[in-house]
Structures are given as structure tokens and as C-alpha cells.
Amino acid sequence: MNNLPQNFKNRNLPIAIFLGTLAVFTISQLAINSIITPLGLELESLNSEKNYLVEENRSMEEEIAKTNSIMVIRQLANKKLNISSDAERVIIYIEDSGVIAERQ
């Protein structure tokens, strides 16, 4: 049936094993890459969206910090509500123990 010498068959066995292993490795790498590539693209898209949202959040935090500033509140009170804190304040101290404040 087989006219090849036994010595020739023994030499080809390691080469056949190597080629079989190489084929399995190549096919497995192609399968893994076909699965990972779309996931990588989706991850990149989500990462870009995350970066955009982080910047948007930072911008909103700055806006909140600006509107919570006491100076901004005073300016808005002066301009929109005509409430001014620039008026001179007068404080009167009474040191008479006989004076009692009553509610009306």
C-alpha cells in the first residue's frame, strides 16, 4: 500500500504536527480578531462619548460655580431686583437695662 520508507514517515511527522498547529493558531487568531474588532470600535465610540460628557460636566460645574459666587449673586440682586448692599448701615447700641423690646 504505502511505498514510502519508514524513515521518511518519521521525518515528516514533526513537520505535519507543526503545520497543523500553525493552521489551528492562525484560524484561532482570525476568529478572535473578528470578534474583538467590532468590540474595539464600540469601545472607542463609548470612550469618545465619555470624554465629551466629562467635558460637558466640567463646563456645567464651572457655570454652577459662577452662579453660586457671592459676587454674581450681588450683581444680579443689584441689576434685576434693585436690591443694593451699598447703602450705609447704621447700628445703634443701647446700654440701658430698662429698655425692653416688645413685639407688636
Side-chain angles (χ1 to χ4, degrees):
M1 284 183 133
N2 203 344
N3 295 337
L4 295 175
Q6 186 67 25
N7 194 13
F8 186 72
K9 289 180 184 177
N10 289 340
R11 278 193 224 161
N12 286 336
L13 184 61
I15 293 173
I17 292 172
F18 174 74
L19 290 176
T21 305
L22 185 63
V24 169
F25 175 76
T26 303
I27 291 170
S28 68
Q29 287 299 309
L30 290 173
I32 289 170
N33 284 341
S34 69
I35 293 169
I36 290 178
T37 300
L39 294 176
L41 294 174
E42 183 180 358
L43 180 62
E44 186 177 337
S45 170
L46 291 173
N47 198 25
S48 297
E49 185 178 354
K50 180 200 75 152
N51 289 336
Y52 169 76
L53 292 174
V54 165
E55 285 300 317
E56 188 72 22
N57 191 29
R58 194 170 292 136
S59 171
M60 288 179 171
E61 285 175 350
E62 287 177 9
E63 192 66 32
I64 289 171
K66 286 178 186 175
T67 57
N68 284 342
S69 167
I70 189 69
M71 294 303 291
V72 171
I73 292 171
R74 284 183 182 163
Q75 289 174 356
L76 289 174
N78 286 341
K79 289 179 185 176
K80 291 187 177 181
L81 302 175
N82 294 327
I83 300 173
S84 177
S85 63
D86 295 338
E88 189 174 319
R89 296 180 186 163
V90 177
I91 299 174
I92 301 172
Y93 293 99
I94 301 175
E95 295 187 19
D96 187 1
S97 61
V99 175
I100 299 174
E102 292 182 12
R103 251 189 197 171
Q104 295 180 0

